[in-house]
């Protein structure tokens, strides 16, 4: 019986993770969770899974936990990193799932990798901003980082010979605006951008999908995770979201991983060892299956090129890229800038933040802070 700690338990990835655990009660138990402020959902999780430890840095949520008399079955609650680290390093945890979105998940990703345990990583921003530290740290501690982004998990499933990889193709649904010209995107609303055609996701990643910046982040992440040059990574549009990635080998063979859009699939694979897990899933209807692929749009070439530059130069460039995007998306969701101005914020911020050849954890946070300050200035100049 493997004991799981789940960061970001109340989010969409957290929900999928809980479903996989629930469907495999003989294999897994939920030993701990972290959350921010959705206390209603946490009550349900406690009732159904009985975790031993709950962590939150939200003061209101922590006070609520302390007040709840009916949570007596919980062994411990904490709101500081030291206590959390002690629990993660104890025998109470075998596997850690990092499902916190955005740069905010970097701290817990580092903490998870420091344990030397199996870490299921859904937080692509951790790798984009902290890959220069996280990847070497995992080798030092022996931690096994297993991606649960559908695209990167698909790559992992398709790799059987690293030395023979010719290239990797990452697919993109195209989001809600696939095939729509930029001239028709001038005045679209945040509500429009959140209407993803195939995936049910949070607001930030839904906008990333609409802009296709998520694929640029995934390109950077794949370069780090699989130690492969960006020139060997292709991006294509695949609206059906059935083929999640393709690995092509030197003998001309191309292997792909296919499934209906469902985050339980990559999570179940990542949780499994020698034998695959059983989960409830919707089968592909091969009798009526139609798949299409098209080139990554030329209108997004400038942001794709920037992502490729990040892969080449590193030195904290991924921190700037990610921070600028997070600020820009937040500004768009709050109607401070227009949809297409997201790209301008990223590009202008990238050109105005100093990088560093010597990175440590403190330097990553310094560059992130400087990037956000600059991005906010760009937003202000854009919206005036």
């Amino acid at each position: 019986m493997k004991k799981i700690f789940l960061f970001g338990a109340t989010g969409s990835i957290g929900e999928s993770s809980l479903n996989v655990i629930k469907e495999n009660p003989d294999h897994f138990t939920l030993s701990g969770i972290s959350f921010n402020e959705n206390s209603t959902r946490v009550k349900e999780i406690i009732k159904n899974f009985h975790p031993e430890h709950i962590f939150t840095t939200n003061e209101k949520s922590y006070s609520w936990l302390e007040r709840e008399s009916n949570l007596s079955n919980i062994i411990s609650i904490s709101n500081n990193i030291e206590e959390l680290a002690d629990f993660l390093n104890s025998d109470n945890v075998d596997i850690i799932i990092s499902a916190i979105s955005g740069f905010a998940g970097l701290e817990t990703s580092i903490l998870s990798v420091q344990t030397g345990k199996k870490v299921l990583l859904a937080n692509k921003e951790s790798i984009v901003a902290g890959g220069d530290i996280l990847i070497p740290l995992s080798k030092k501690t022996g931690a096994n980082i297993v991606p649960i982004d559908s695209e990167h998990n698909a790559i992992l499933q398709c790799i059987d010979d690293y030395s023979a990889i010719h290239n990797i193709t990452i697919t993109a649904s195209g989001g809600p605006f696939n095939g729509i010209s930029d001239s028709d995107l001038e005045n679209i609303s945040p509500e429009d951008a959140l209407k993803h055609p195939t995936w049910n996701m949070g607001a930030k990643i839904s906008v990333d999908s609409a802009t296709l910046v998520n694929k640029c982040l995934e390109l950077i992440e794949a370069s780090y995770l699989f130690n492969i040059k960006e020139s060997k990574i292709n991006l294509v549009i695949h609206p059906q979201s059935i083929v999640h990635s393709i690995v092509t080998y030197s003998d001309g063979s191309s292997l792909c991983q296919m499934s209906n859009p469902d985050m339980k699939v990559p999570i179940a694979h990542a949780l499994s060892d020698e034998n695959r897990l059983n989960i409830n899933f919707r089968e592909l209807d091969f009798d009526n299956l139609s798949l299409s692929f098209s080139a990554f749009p030329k209108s997004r070439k400038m942001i794709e090129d920037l992502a490729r530059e990040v892969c080449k130069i590193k030195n904290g460039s991924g921190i700037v890229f990610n921070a600028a995007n997070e600020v820009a998306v937040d500004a768009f969701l709050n109607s401070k800038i227009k949809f297409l101005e997201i790209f301008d914020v990223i590009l202008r911020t990238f050109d105005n933040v100093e990088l560093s050849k010597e990175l440590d954890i403190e330097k990553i946070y310094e560059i992130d802070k400087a990037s956000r300050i600059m991005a906010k200035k760009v937003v202000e100049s854009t919206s005036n």
Side-chain angles (χ1 to χ4, degrees):
M1 182 75 73
K2 298 290 186 181
K3 303 170 185 176
I4 296 175
F5 190 97
L6 175 58
F7 282 108
T10 60
S12 60
I13 303 297
E15 184 69 24
S16 295
S17 300
L18 291 170
N19 284 331
V20 174
I21 295 170
K22 183 179 179 180
E23 291 170 20
N24 289 271
D26 295 333
H27 292 85
F28 308 107
T29 182
L30 186 69
S31 63
I33 64 170
S34 83
F35 79 107
N36 184 28
E37 58 184 7
N38 191 344
S39 56
T40 301
R41 178 60 184 134
V42 167
K43 267 191 174 182
E44 296 173 357
I45 294 172
I46 292 169
K47 179 182 177 181
N48 295 326
F49 294 91
H50 310 292
E52 300 174 14
H53 186 89
I54 298 183
F55 172 80
T56 181
T57 55
N58 185 304
E59 292 184 11
K60 185 177 179 181
S61 296
Y62 186 74
S63 296
W64 169 77
L65 284 170
E66 288 186 310
R67 291 194 306 269
E68 285 292 309
S69 59
N70 61 339
L71 303 184
S72 57
N73 60 314
I74 300 171
I75 291 176
S76 60
I77 61 174
S78 66
N79 62 353
N80 69 75
I81 292 296
E82 289 75 18
E83 289 182 33
L84 174 63
D86 288 342
F87 188 81
L88 293 177
N89 282 285
S90 73
D91 292 336
N92 294 306
V93 178
D94 299 307
I95 300 171
I96 302 169
I97 302 178
S98 179
I100 298 175
S101 63
F103 183 79
L106 176 62
E107 182 178 24
T108 51
S109 292
I110 292 173
L111 199 66
S112 300
V113 172
Q114 285 174 334
T115 67
K117 298 179 180 181
K118 186 174 184 178
V119 180
L120 275 58
L121 193 63
N123 181 264
K124 64 172 66 71
E125 294 86 354
S126 291
I127 299 296
V128 171
D132 290 313
I133 287 180
L134 275 177
I135 301 302
L137 180 62
S138 68
K139 293 177 180 178
K140 181 180 179 180
T141 64
N144 180 19
I145 299 177
V146 184
I148 52 176
D149 270 345
S150 60
E151 296 81 4
H152 300 86
N153 185 264
I155 294 169
L156 184 66
Q157 293 195 50
C158 293
I159 291 179
D160 58 19
D161 185 352
Y162 269 96
S163 64
I165 294 176
H166 178 69
N167 61 40
I168 289 173
T169 301
I170 298 174
T171 60
S173 69
F177 308 130
N178 184 36
I180 300 176
S181 65
D182 281 0
S183 61
D184 293 323
L185 296 176
E186 282 292 334
N187 297 306
I188 63 101
S189 68
E191 290 73 24
D192 293 328
L194 296 178
K195 297 175 183 176
H196 197 281
T198 53
W199 292 97
N200 180 21
M201 307 177 292
K204 192 266 181 181
I205 192 171
S206 293
V207 175
D208 283 349
S209 179
T211 60
L212 296 181
V213 169
N214 67 323
K215 291 302 138 180
C216 298
L217 293 170
E218 288 169 12
L219 187 156
I220 298 168
E221 183 184 9
S223 180
Y224 274 110
L225 285 175
F226 303 105
N227 192 27
I228 188 169
K229 293 181 179 180
E230 55 78 25
S231 58
K232 287 192 172 186
I233 305 173
N234 304 318
L235 303 177
V236 301
I237 302 298
H238 170 54
Q240 295 81 19
S241 297
I242 298 294
V243 174
H244 300 291
S245 279
I246 305 162
V247 178
T248 299
Y249 290 94
S250 55
D251 64 358
S253 300
S254 291
L255 304 183
C256 74
Q257 186 270 334
M258 302 170 65
S259 67
N260 278 306
D262 184 350
M263 283 304 300
K264 289 199 304 179
V265 174
I267 292 168
H269 171 265
L271 282 174
S272 64
D273 291 318
E274 301 85 20
N275 301 313
R276 290 181 181 260
L277 298 173
N278 293 319
I279 61 170
N280 297 319
F281 67 95
R282 182 166 59 93
E283 291 189 40
L284 290 171
D285 180 9
F286 287 102
D287 289 341
N288 299 287
L289 188 62
S290 178
L291 304 177
S292 62
F293 302 87
S294 59
F296 205 69
K298 293 181 179 178
S299 61
R300 299 293 174 264
K301 189 175 187 305
M302 75 292 193
I303 208 71
E304 179 188 349
D305 287 347
L306 187 61
R308 294 187 182 279
E309 185 177 351
V310 167
C311 294
K312 294 174 184 175
I313 65 176
K314 297 184 177 180
N315 297 338
S317 55
I319 308 167
V320 184
F321 188 101
N322 178 71
N325 179 57
E326 288 191 6
V327 170
V329 170
D330 182 71
F332 168 67
L333 288 171
N334 287 284
S335 301
K336 293 180 180 179
I337 61 173
K338 294 182 178 181
F339 180 77
L340 294 176
E341 290 173 336
I342 291 174
F343 306 110
D344 187 49
V345 172
I346 297 171
L347 294 166
R348 288 172 59 190
T349 301
F350 196 86
D351 288 337
N352 286 282
V353 175
E354 186 176 348
L355 303 178
S356 174
K357 291 184 178 180
E358 296 184 8
L359 284 179
D360 54 24
I361 295 174
E362 290 74 19
K363 196 64 180 179
I364 287 176
Y365 281 97
E366 285 179 17
I367 295 174
D368 177 75
K369 182 178 179 180
S371 301
R372 290 175 192 275
I373 291 172
M374 178 55 65
K376 288 175 182 177
K377 289 181 178 178
V378 175
V379 167
E380 289 174 4
S381 68
T382 301
S383 57
N384 289 336

